[in-house]
């Protein structure tokens, strides 16, 4: 019965989004989404998410200086930098390499770079999380990834690259929305929204159990919490937050 309800409601949602499905069929939606719609949406959405997630991020990044290398430098790589919403939480003097598969966030990114002059910006890489070949192995003290693992093509492949670029003893910081409890109404609505949500929001998957990928990766230690971040009228309330040490 639940499966039937999900299929019916998915069809209703698809009907409402039919113009987007048509544009996708014609090959128009994806380039438009990446270049115009998603940067516009993310600029607005990040304001709301940052307000709701600020305390979690302050707590999360509090111990970043502990991973400063013996040279006295703290070298960070951020996967899926987007608009640079995390810059405000990074410690003064750290050196950051930014990366994103989508190079169309320049306006918001430059705005946040100008606001956060306390950190040194090394370079920007157009790269997928699964392929960070431009970053030398063992060259980073910390890697940061927030609201990105939901949309990478391969979560395990991305975590493998994270482990490669981290130095021994370095840390991977994450804050990601995840699948809700399968017995909950939240999960029911995630199932309903899944296909249309993924199409509209650049491949964002609602039902990934990312904590399992993190626990099964070859980190020596994983500190992970399940938290709820209230985002009204969205199916992305459940999150995992924490860090993992190589």
């Amino acid at each position: 019965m639940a499966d039937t309800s999900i299929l019916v409601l998915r069809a209703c949602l698809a009907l409402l989004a039919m113009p987007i499905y048509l544009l996708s069929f014609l090959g128009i939606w994806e380039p438009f989404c990446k270049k115009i719609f998603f940067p516009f949406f993310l600029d607005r959405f990040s304001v709301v998410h940052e307000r709701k997630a600020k305390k979690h991020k302050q707590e999360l990044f509090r111990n970043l200086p502990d991973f400063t290398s013996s040279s006295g430098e703290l070298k960070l790589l951020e996967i899926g930098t987007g608009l640079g919403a995390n810059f405000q939480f990074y410690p003064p003097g750290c050196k950051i390499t930014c990366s994103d598969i989508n190079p169309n966030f320049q306006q918001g990114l430059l705005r946040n770079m100008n606001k956060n002059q306390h950190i040194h910006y090394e370079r920007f890489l157009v790269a997928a999380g699964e392929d960070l070949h431009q970053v030398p192995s063992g060259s980073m003290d910390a890697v940061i990834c927030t609201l990105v693992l939901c949309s990478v093509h391969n979560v395990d492949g991305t975590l493998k690259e994270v482990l490669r670029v981290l130095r021994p003893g370095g840390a991977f910081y994450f804050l990601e929305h995840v699948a809700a409890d399968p017995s909950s109404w939240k999960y029911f609505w995630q199932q309903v929204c899944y296909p249309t949500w993924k199409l509209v929001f650049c491949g964002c998957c609602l039902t990934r159990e990312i904590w399992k990928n993190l626990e099964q990766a070859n980190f020596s230690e994983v500190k992970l919490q399940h938290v709820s971040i209230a985002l009204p009228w969205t199916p992305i309330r459940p999150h995992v937050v924490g860090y993992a040490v190589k």
Side-chain angles (χ1 to χ4, degrees), residues 119-135:
I119 53 181
H120 300 295
Y121 301 98
E122 298 273 78
R123 56 178 176 155
F124 181 88
L125 307 174
V126 179
E130 303 92 335
D131 183 11
L132 300 168
H133 68 271
Q134 296 152 286
V135 184

Side-chain angles (χ1 to χ4, degrees), residues 11 28 62 75 87 97 111 128 134 140 145-146 157 160 164 170 174 191 204 232 237:
I28 296 170
R62 185 170 293 163
K75 299 191 76 172
F87 292 163
T97 297
R111 185 171 66 243
Q134 296 152 286
M140 293 292 160
C145 189
T146 61
K160 187 176 179 181
R164 182 186 65 80
F174 54 88
Q191 291 285 318
C204 175
R237 192 183 190 109

Side-chain angles (χ1 to χ4, degrees), residues 45 49 57 80 145-151 175-177 236 239:
F45 173 77
H49 191 272
K57 286 191 176 183
C145 189
T146 61
L147 302 184
V148 173
L149 293 179
C150 58
S151 56
L175 189 154
E176 300 288 341
H177 70 81
I236 58 171
H239 285 64

Side-chain angles (χ1 to χ4, degrees), residues 11 13 26 81 87 99 122 142 144 148 167 173 208 222 229-230 242:
L13 197 55
L26 296 172
T81 303
F87 292 163
S99 71
E122 298 273 78
I144 292 97
V148 173
R167 64 165 174 79
Y173 287 78
R208 286 185 174 173
V222 178
I229 296 177

Side-chain angles (χ1 to χ4, degrees), residues 6 9 18-19 24 42 62 67 73 92 118 121-122 158 161 165 181-182 189 202 205 218 220 230 239 244-245:
I6 287 168
L9 289 167
M18 187 55 69
S24 178
L42 192 62
R62 185 170 293 163
F67 293 95
E73 286 187 338
H118 65 288
Y121 301 98
E122 298 273 78
T158 300
E161 277 291 80
V165 303
D181 183 320
W189 287 109
C202 275
C205 297
N218 292 320
S220 64
H239 285 64
V245 180

